[in-house]
Amino acid sequence: MNLSLTNVCKSFGRGSSAKLVLDNINFQVNSGEFVALVGSSGSGKSTVMRLIAGLDTPSSGSILMDGVPVKGPGPDRGMVFQRYSLYPWMTTADNVGFGMRLKGMAKPEVQERTNYFLNVVGLAYAADKLPKELSGGMQQRVAIARALAADPKVLLLDEPLGALDLQIRESMQEFLYQLWSRTGLTALLITHDLEEALLMAQRVHILASNPGRIVRTVEADLDRSNLSHLRVSPEFLSLREDLAQCLRGLSQELVTSS
Amino acid sequence: MKQSEGILQRLNRPWVLGLSGVLGVFVIWQFIAASGAVDDLFLPSPISVLSAGSEKAYSGLLFKDAMASIGRVLGGYALSMLVSLPLGIAMGTNRTINQLLEPLLGLIRYMPAPAFIPLLIIYFGLGELPKVLLIFIGTLFFNTLMIMDSVRFVPAELIEAARTLGGKGLPILTKVVAPFIAPQVIDAYRINMAAAWNLVIVAELVAANEGLGKRISLAQRFLKTDEIFAYLIVIGLIGLLIDLSFRVLLRRSCRWSI
Ligand SMILES: Nc1ncnc2c1ncn2[C@@H]1O[C@H](COP(=O)(O)OP(=O)(O)O)[C@@H](O)[C@H]1O
Ligand SMILES: [Mg+2]
């Protein structure tokens, strides 16, 4: 699997009111990688995701999945949204099975795979609950299971933990990382939280705002055998500080230029 | 109900309060009527209203008239529900259809339906058709516009999630949009049913051989105010029953939304 963005630009609006939101975005995601894109809010992160998911089209440049241009959404790119996107009238199990039912998969198979992915996200006990009966963290785990159950080649995570409390966030970071390392999936994570990105992703792109552009890319080769140790390790902290300075510089630049 | 519940808490239940309000009015009414301060012709006592009502009930006339009115409402309103659903969904999902029809419906909505009665009588005479049509046109636009609004407010994430899972077109309509709007559609039907029930009485006041409205206008001719009161109460009770059945339907079919 290879996902590649080449010279992707996106502007909204037409004529003199057109606003350039993404300027020349270039990056790739290969099989088994965990890549993160970090930027402040409004830098165009969700827009990048929507372009890759095929929910919107780039103004110029190309987005290729295994060499084939992305034309509209498809189950090869699973997406987990920033805001809760579960179907409120469906139970946990029905939500997870939704993509498979859309594909017309046979009932017993849907059931079997649903059970499997509920176990993967540790929610088998909540199979019959409605979304409103689940906590925020559980809901996002259901959303992840739903995306995974459709068997995507790459999982697109758009600030999946953005709406969660700090405590739950940390355990969900652990969960997401374990999920990735256990299942060998390919993931692209978008977040405004630098620590979150560095904890999980081997490659981190820093996105500057106005227009959104990649200003720095780091290969974060860290020992991730224990994330809570990693969080406080000197190596991690200095890398985080280095990138935080870069991000601070960007927002400084924004303040002085406006 | 818990045993330990105090009598005050028990009295505080909504339906107990509601019932007390109704009973209170009857008591005051009886008191005024018995005091002789108001002429019997203007304000018959609750007792004489009750006896007038039960007399009509025993003779079978009440049932026949009620069935005539209910039949007209069911015919016209069923047609209205049937047409407004696809129309509202089309207006809520398709921009062209929306821009074509919304100003038109917005205009017609403000034309009072009873004002169409003379036209309908000229076109279709005095039979059942003009009454059924009056109820149809008098509720169609409200139902359509409310359904359109409910479609418009389907969260974009819910539709986009389905698209990233491989859904498109009709399956999204039937599996995402329809279940999401179902509770709002049922509620719109419930609210506008009140208008349908009002309109049938208005139509019967103008021209009919039977029906609750017809009976009121006959009672007026013979100055039988006790009968008018009795019929008004029956009209209110039937309306309340219809309202309640829509509420039960909503509770039963859309448990997730309440
Ligand atoms: N559909 C749209 N039309 C116009 N402007 C948009 C649209 N979507 C996003 N934008 C603008 O693009 C910029 C980036 O938005 P977004 O990608 O949501 O940022 P992020 O996810 O990083 O917070 C914002 O300034 C936003 O106002
Ligand atoms: Mg965003």
Side-chain angles (χ1 to χ4, degrees):
Chain A
M1 201 285 313
N2 169 278
L3 167 70
S4 75
L5 285 79
T6 315
N7 300 332
V8 170
C9 298
K10 176 72 186 174
S11 36
F12 287 108
R14 256 179 275 169
S16 57
S17 67
K19 185 184 168 217
L20 187 64
V21 168
L22 293 178
D23 184 17
N24 243 339
I25 303 292
N26 289 284
F27 69 89
Q28 302 209 356
V29 182
N30 288 302
S31 269
E33 285 183 329
F34 199 135
V35 176
L37 206 59
V38 183
S40 52
S41 103
S43 57
K45 303 183 298 294
S46 292
T47 305
V48 173
M49 259 338 187
R50 295 175 58 80
L51 294 180
I52 297 171
L55 294 168
D56 214 334
T57 48
S59 306
S60 65
S62 71
I63 301 175
L64 305 179
M65 263 304 271
D66 292 326
V68 183
V70 163
K71 284 203 189 84
D76 55 335
R77 284 148 292 139
M79 177 123 163
V80 176
F81 292 79
Q82 189 168 0
R83 290 204 309 167
Y84 305 136
S85 61
L86 297 180
Y87 298 108
W89 59 92
M90 290 185 200
T91 62
T92 299
D94 287 342
N95 264 291
V96 172
F98 185 65
M100 298 183 269
R101 291 201 302 278
L102 276 177
K103 277 184 190 168
M105 200 181 275
K107 236 186 188 167
E109 203 185 342
V110 171
Q111 209 157 44
E112 196 189 312
R113 282 177 63 90
T114 297
N115 289 339
Y116 174 79
F117 284 102
L118 279 177
N119 278 314
V120 167
V121 298
L123 283 177
Y125 67 93
D128 296 324
K129 289 211 187 321
L130 289 172
K132 68 175 179 185
E133 300 169 305
L134 304 178
S135 70
M138 287 160 85
Q139 291 188 25
Q140 284 306 69
R141 280 193 280 164
V142 177
I144 290 167
R146 181 177 66 182
L148 289 177
D151 202 19
K153 290 182 184 158
V154 56
L155 189 62
L156 307 171
L157 302 153
D158 184 359
E159 299 209 45
L161 313 182
L164 304 179
D165 301 337
L166 191 66
Q167 298 274 315
I168 302 163
R169 264 183 94 103
E170 293 197 350
S171 68
M172 282 293 287
Q173 288 164 355
E174 193 95 22
F175 161 79
L176 255 183
Y177 181 74
Q178 297 305 336
L179 182 72
W180 170 80
S181 58
R182 267 188 299 146
T183 57
L185 66 101
T186 310
L188 174 61
L189 170 75
I190 272 176
T191 175
H192 63 265
D193 182 346
L194 194 53
E195 173 169 316
E196 184 170 292
L198 284 173
L199 271 179
M200 297 185 265
Q202 299 109 35
R203 195 176 320 117
V204 176
H205 301 287
I206 304 285
L207 199 65
S209 328
N210 275 321
R213 60 202 187 278
I214 294 175
V215 287
R216 205 168 147 190
T217 298
V218 265
E219 302 288 334
D221 257 331
L222 301 163
D223 173 15
R224 294 192 168 83
S225 49
N226 184 327
L227 290 193
S228 32
H229 286 174
L230 180 63
R231 273 179 219 276
V232 291
S233 76
E235 199 186 0
F236 180 81
L237 292 174
S238 77
L239 184 55
R240 196 186 76 179
E241 185 48 33
D242 179 16
L243 291 177
Q245 240 163 31
C246 169
L247 276 169
R248 273 197 292 273
L250 291 171
S251 50
Q252 206 73 57
E253 180 187 304
L254 211 64
V255 171
T256 48
S257 70
S258 59
Chain B
M1 206 184 291
K2 267 179 283 169
Q3 284 298 320
S4 61
E5 208 174 32
I7 192 140
L8 267 176
Q9 267 121 35
R10 244 183 254 193
L11 282 179
N12 220 351
R13 290 175 179 269
W15 66 268
V16 174
L17 282 178
L19 208 63
S20 320
V22 175
L23 281 178
V25 167
F26 271 87
V27 169
I28 294 170
W29 175 12
Q30 172 67 33
F31 184 75
I32 296 174
S35 76
V38 186
D39 191 335
D40 251 11
L41 181 65
F42 291 139
L43 191 69
S45 74
I47 312 256
S48 57
V49 167
L50 193 69
S51 74
S54 51
E55 189 188 308
K56 296 288 169 197
Y58 274 120
S59 72
L61 204 60
L62 186 66
F63 183 73
K64 231 178 95 200
D65 284 323
M67 284 328 266
S69 299
I70 290 173
R72 289 167 186 146
V73 168
L74 285 188
Y77 202 62
L79 206 60
S80 166
M81 292 194 286
L82 223 64
V83 175
S84 61
L85 188 63
L87 197 59
I89 290 178
M91 285 178 68
T93 47
N94 186 301
R95 189 189 286 252
T96 314
I97 297 179
N98 184 292
Q99 287 172 349
L100 186 73
L101 293 181
E102 199 181 348
L104 183 70
L105 262 64
L107 178 70
I108 302 176
R109 187 164 63 135
Y110 279 103
M111 302 179 183
F116 283 90
I117 294 178
L119 268 185
L120 289 170
I121 289 179
I122 292 173
Y123 293 159
F124 305 106
L126 295 171
E128 293 303 311
L129 188 61
K131 297 178 187 66
V132 169
L133 282 180
L134 177 73
I135 291 159
F136 173 67
I137 58 173
T139 56
L140 176 70
F141 306 107
F142 291 96
N143 273 337
T144 304
L145 290 171
M146 284 168 86
I147 292 171
M148 175 192 81
D149 264 342
S150 71
V151 173
R152 263 198 212 151
F153 290 109
V154 178
E157 279 94 345
L158 294 189
I159 291 173
E160 288 176 346
R163 293 177 66 202
T164 61
L165 290 167
K168 49 174 80 101
L170 196 63
I172 290 191
L173 200 62
T174 57
K175 295 194 167 95
V176 178
V177 176
F180 186 85
I181 65 170
Q184 290 156 78
V185 170
I186 293 175
D187 221 40
Y189 285 166
R190 179 182 68 78
I191 290 164
N192 295 324
M193 183 69 196
W197 191 232
N198 285 349
L199 284 172
V200 74
I201 305 300
V202 174
E204 289 169 356
L205 283 173
V206 175
N209 293 324
E210 52 183 359
L212 297 170
K214 169 67 181 177
R215 220 46 71 186
I216 286 182
S217 78
L218 279 181
Q220 178 211 4
R221 207 172 297 164
F222 299 104
L223 295 179
K224 290 191 173 166
T225 41
D226 51 351
E227 281 183 21
I228 296 184
F229 272 85
Y231 279 111
L232 279 176
I233 291 171
V234 169
I235 288 170
L237 284 178
I238 296 176
L240 189 66
L241 272 180
I242 299 175
D243 198 273
L244 279 177
S245 30
F246 273 106
R247 281 177 202 269
V248 169
L249 177 69
L250 182 66
R251 276 182 175 275
R252 287 278 155 83
S253 62
C254 305
R255 273 195 41 231
W256 62 272
S257 70
I258 39 183

